Amino acid sequence: MRRCAVKHGEQPPPFTPLLLLLMGCLSLGECAPFRLDQKNDGFEVHVNNVMIFKHSTDSPMLYGGNGETQFVEAKGNFRIEDYVTSRVPLTKSDIQQQSGDPTVVKLSSDDDHYVTLQLSSTPDHPLAVEVSAMQGFDRLWLRVVAQREEQVFGGGEQFSYLDLRGRSFPIWTREQGVGRNKSTLTTFQADQKDWAGGDYHTTYHPQPTFVSTRNYYLHHQGPNYAVLDFTHRAFHELHVRGRPGRVLLQTGSDVAQLVRHLSQFLGRQLPLPAWLHSGAVLGVQGGTRKMLDYIQQAEDHGVKVAAVWIQDWVGRITTSFGRRLFWDWKWNQQQYPDLKNEVQRLRSRNIRVLTYINPYLNFEGELFKVADERGYFVKNSSGQTFVNDFGEFFCGTIDLTNPAAYAWYKDEVVKKNMIDMGFSGWMADFGEYLPLHGTRFHSGQSAEDLHNQWPLLWARLNREAVQESGKEGDVVFWMRAGWSGSGNYSTLQWAGDQNVDWSPSDGLPSTITAALSLAMSGLTLTHFDIGGFTTFASFTPPLVRSEQLLLRSAEMAVFTPVFRTHEGNQPSANVQFYSSRATLLKFARLSRMFSALQNYSRHVVSVASHTGLAAQRPLFLNYPSDAPSYHAPYHYMYGPDLLVAPVCRPDVTSRDVYLPRDPEASWVFLWDESVTSEGGETVRVASPLGQPPVFYRNTSAFVHVFRHVASEPLVNLPTYVPESQKPEVDRSATCSASQLLFDLAVGVGVVVVLVLGTNP
């Protein structure tokens, strides 16, 4: 059953529980309820012969505890200090009711410290665990049986690791962070201000869900702060602050079946508009004349243009971070004169215009005054408008729990100022910044309860605006922040603000991990900024985009659902697609390849929408019985027929590619059909710039499409200097790394640019 965005007050279709249970069983082939087996000193819980819980006095399945948790926030970056004052094993078990539904189990340490669990089956899941009573604790740790060689995936959008074993992952939506590796100088410099460096687990889109190679998944329904802990060999642990929501478990024949069920339960994204696959979405800025000039320049050099994305349609401001937007979401006629007419003229040429919005309003703008007068903002502790610092400018946050504010923003801002202008889409940015302290909401809920769910409210507002305007299937919006159920509302995700580099934790490689982890979390459609975003020319060494990175990034984007560029936060420091004639010609070739692939891409996103298997997916979702497919880093399937192994390091001209054994097809190298394989092996192939390693299945119905893509000849022009041969950058006005550390030690400090990590 597909879940769709619904309006306030609407209810889902009236399916009976019996019918829902039958549908769930049919989708999985077999649907048996859980089984609880009593043992001498405890019990075991199985679902379809998979042991989930094992409780004994020596090894209890549940711990209760207390502690103090502080959430320190600065511009979307959170430092979470969780100090546990007690952690008590609940060794005593009393099965109070085993016959009937639910099964009731009381786990305790003494009469004053206990937790009562209800175990039942739901229409969607054979096992649901719910806390019905909780005495003496403000947090719980629930343990799930694990095996030594087991792998687990999911956790929402994770950028550093696809297999989550060996690490713990806090579930809290926040800024991704810059660098995301505490051992690097980039992250060190970013951390000097507002802890903006991030870590391996920081993400815009966490999700308390994991899929196990023991063929089950676990999903926690509560919005509470939680931690998925996979650091132990014998068990996985779900730590939940406060009373947990329901914990749902499902089994399947393989991980692909589990992902299909998970995506069905959480909600699947609809197919993307067809026009989005027809060419490049060019991210440019500077006004109407410059927008048209960029389009003309691109087309003169053979770029296939599907759309132009002008995030500065509202005007600009300049901060130390770089060029930012003036957050007053209406057409700036001084910067973009005659824009409404140009939107229509461009559409007649099959070129769409896309823009940008977020749920905040600059207090110097006209819309802020309207919202402030009507009381539409989140309030501070005194009942006045809460004003937040977004980095040298201040904004109010629209209270999405206020029905009047929600309706005004949807109708008067999104519909009137964007959809009625003829825009075909936008970046619906942010969603993860909701402050926790000193804020009050119309609904009366606490900021902590709302924080993880805030991206869903923001996504639903945008989706409803599109639906109610009759533009579903034609207008697209993309989001970086997310939560469980984002697929229900968001038409498209994007990976947020990667560094303009090759780093595994925050550069080009991390976009692959991000897409694949979302795929394992049930979300089917995502993409990334070609060339990355976060730029700091003042860092040591400078963090700026090279031509090679731009083109390697673009060649990977050919084999994804969306081909979209971004200038970055410091455009003049970065190489852009328009920086030189040679770059333009090479970029143009890649845009034509993307366009040539559009029939296959439309097929891929349609399959994703109907099956829940993401457009970009790990190899093992197509080949779950192929063991090496679980250990193929930076490989992915683009739909059912293309295997892509992007070049993710500089100055590389060949790459090893693992090809799974496919009983129905052999593999053909896209760029040289004489290179074939029956699979089950690793092959090394040439990968010059513009020809990333890609193989196709020879039985595909789209072989003719793939051959057309490969027919685009390479552009043999020198366009970059290998990074290993670049001259030393003159840093006479900057500190060396060692001098930087010394200065910090003696108290001089480091003056670094304020890092926000957000697109505009």
Side-chain angles (χ1 to χ4, degrees), residues 305-319:
V305 181
V308 60
W309 175 45
I310 49 168
Q311 52 176 0
D312 64 338
W313 69 290
V314 293
R316 295 186 303 196
I317 60 175
T318 300
T319 71

Side-chain angles (χ1 to χ4, degrees), residues 278-333:
S278 66
V281 177
L282 303 179
V284 297
Q285 302 179 78
T288 304
R289 184 68 263 157
K290 290 198 72 173
M291 173 188 74
L292 297 175
D293 288 344
Y294 280 126
I295 294 172
Q296 188 63 53
Q297 181 188 26
E299 291 189 323
D300 287 347
H301 288 79
V303 176
K304 186 69 175 177
V305 181
V308 60
W309 175 45
I310 49 168
Q311 52 176 0
D312 64 338
W313 69 290
V314 293
R316 295 186 303 196
I317 60 175
T318 300
T319 71
S320 60
F321 181 67
R323 293 198 302 191
R324 308 290 302 277
L325 309 182
F326 181 53
W327 294 6
D328 190 40
W329 311 117
K330 58 187 183 61
W331 171 25
N332 185 307
Q333 298 189 44

